């Protein structure tokens, strides 16, 4: 079946946001008894909407520390993590070549491109305008706030495909996270794993492939080349 539209994830694909505050977040978690490396934090939590993130953190807390957290402890953990990230937000950049790859995707898919992100609506709009990306997508910028369930559920991709007027099975999704790749596969879409973000370690490609990515994209130059080969 030919591909008819392309959906970009935002964080870790267009905007290099997953690396922001990552080392500090891992250190903060270690100080609270979670012996996760920065890489484990990435695998576990990236691509997740905040409600699923908090649920996952609660389960992990019980599994690791042997008891469920009370609400104050959980709130303290979440606010501590948010604060480590907020303190580093000024370091956030565009992933190199993202604007060029978005332009190429627009040409290859005759304008049928969208952003489908786990980010909240206001934060997503801010990132899109801050990095000059909004104009490439018109109205097709979709946030996890637009749907009932966040990634790894497929809702955001089904929503974006419907808005573009295409069947999910004919969409190509560019994702950097395990949760996002799982969501794309559950939507019945083709998904390519993007490993050009600052947070991607050597085994990231293998993780995305094992989760269902049909191809790996090294960076935005590679993405533009592979997209042109489709047309
Ligand atoms: Mg992402």
């Amino acid at each position: 079946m030919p591909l008819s539209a392309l959906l970009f994830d935002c964080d870790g694909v267009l905007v290099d946001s997953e690396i922001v505050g990552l080392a500090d977040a891992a250190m903060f978690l270690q100080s609270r008894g979670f012996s996760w490396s920065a890489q484990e934090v990435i695998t576990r939590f990236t691509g997740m909407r905040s409600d699923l993130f908090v649920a996952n953190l609660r389960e992990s807390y019980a599994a690791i520390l042997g008891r469920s957290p009370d609400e104050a402890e959980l709130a303290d953990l979440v606010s501590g993590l948010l604060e480590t990230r907020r303190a580093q937000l000024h370091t956030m950049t565009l992933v190199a070549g993202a604007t060029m790859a978005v332009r190429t995707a627009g040409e290859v898919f005759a304008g049928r491109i969208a952003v489908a992100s786990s980010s909240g609506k206001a934060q997503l709009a801010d990132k899109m305008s801050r990095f000059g990306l909004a104009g490439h997508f018109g109205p097709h910028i979709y946030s996890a706030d637009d749907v009932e369930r966040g990634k790894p559920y497929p809702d955001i991709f089904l929503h974006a495909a419907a808005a573009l007027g295409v069947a999910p099975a004919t969409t190509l999704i560019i994702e950097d996270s395990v949760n996002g790749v799982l969501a794309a596969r559950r939507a019945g879409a083709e998904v390519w794993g993007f490993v050009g973000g600052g947070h991607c370690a050597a085994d990231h490609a293998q993780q995305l492939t094992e989760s269902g990515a049909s191809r790996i994209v090294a960076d935005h130059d590679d993405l533009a080349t592979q997209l042109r080969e489709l047309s």
Side-chain angles (χ1 to χ4, degrees):
M1 198 180 288
L3 295 166
S4 63
L6 185 145
L7 312 180
F8 283 98
D9 174 47
C10 173
D11 294 291
V13 172
L14 298 177
V15 179
D16 215 357
S17 47
E18 300 294 8
I19 189 68
V20 171
L22 176 63
D24 290 346
M27 273 171 49
F28 171 78
L29 283 167
Q30 285 159 12
S31 76
R32 302 304 172 95
F34 298 82
S35 56
W36 294 327
S37 65
Q39 204 48 45
E40 282 172 285
V41 173
I42 281 291
T43 304
R44 243 169 224 283
F45 296 120
T46 50
M48 262 186 188
R49 195 168 66 178
S50 56
D51 55 343
L52 292 175
F53 163 73
V54 172
N56 188 299
L57 197 59
R58 185 195 299 274
E59 283 172 25
S60 300
Y61 187 109
I64 290 174
L65 302 179
R67 65 177 178 84
S68 289
D70 62 35
E71 290 310 309
E73 287 170 322
L74 193 63
D76 173 63
L77 264 183
V78 171
S79 66
L81 282 170
L82 289 179
E83 193 41 50
T84 58
R85 182 157 284 226
R86 208 171 288 133
Q88 298 289 324
L89 267 184
H90 62 282
T91 66
M92 187 165 66
T93 61
L94 196 63
V95 178
T99 306
M100 174 274 304
V102 167
R103 202 176 291 127
T104 301
E107 289 164 13
V108 169
F109 288 95
R112 285 187 301 277
I113 59 172
V115 176
S117 170
S118 287
S119 195
K121 211 166 182 62
Q123 297 94 315
L124 181 60
D126 178 61
K127 280 177 264 195
M128 289 291 106
S129 67
R130 177 170 165 185
F131 295 108
L133 292 169
H136 296 280
F137 294 98
H140 299 297
I141 296 174
Y142 301 106
S143 149
D145 290 346
D146 296 326
V147 295
E148 192 178 335
R149 301 173 302 176
K151 302 171 190 177
Y153 292 100
D155 302 26
I156 185 72
F157 295 132
L158 298 175
H159 178 76
L164 287 169
V166 300
T170 69
T171 62
L172 171 61
I173 295 172
I174 310 300
E175 259 293 348
D176 70 295
S177 74
V178 167
N179 288 309
V181 168
L182 291 173
R185 294 301 299 134
R186 288 172 185 168
E190 177 163 351
V191 53
W192 294 358
F194 184 87
V195 298
H199 63 296
C200 299
D203 67 343
H204 202 80
Q206 187 189 342
Q207 287 182 31
L208 298 184
T209 299
E210 285 171 3
S211 304
S214 62
R215 295 192 196 184
I216 292 299
V217 178
D219 53 34
H220 281 300
D221 282 337
D222 185 22
L223 177 58
T225 301
Q226 295 201 47
L227 289 178
R228 280 200 202 90
E229 286 167 358
L230 290 176
S231 57

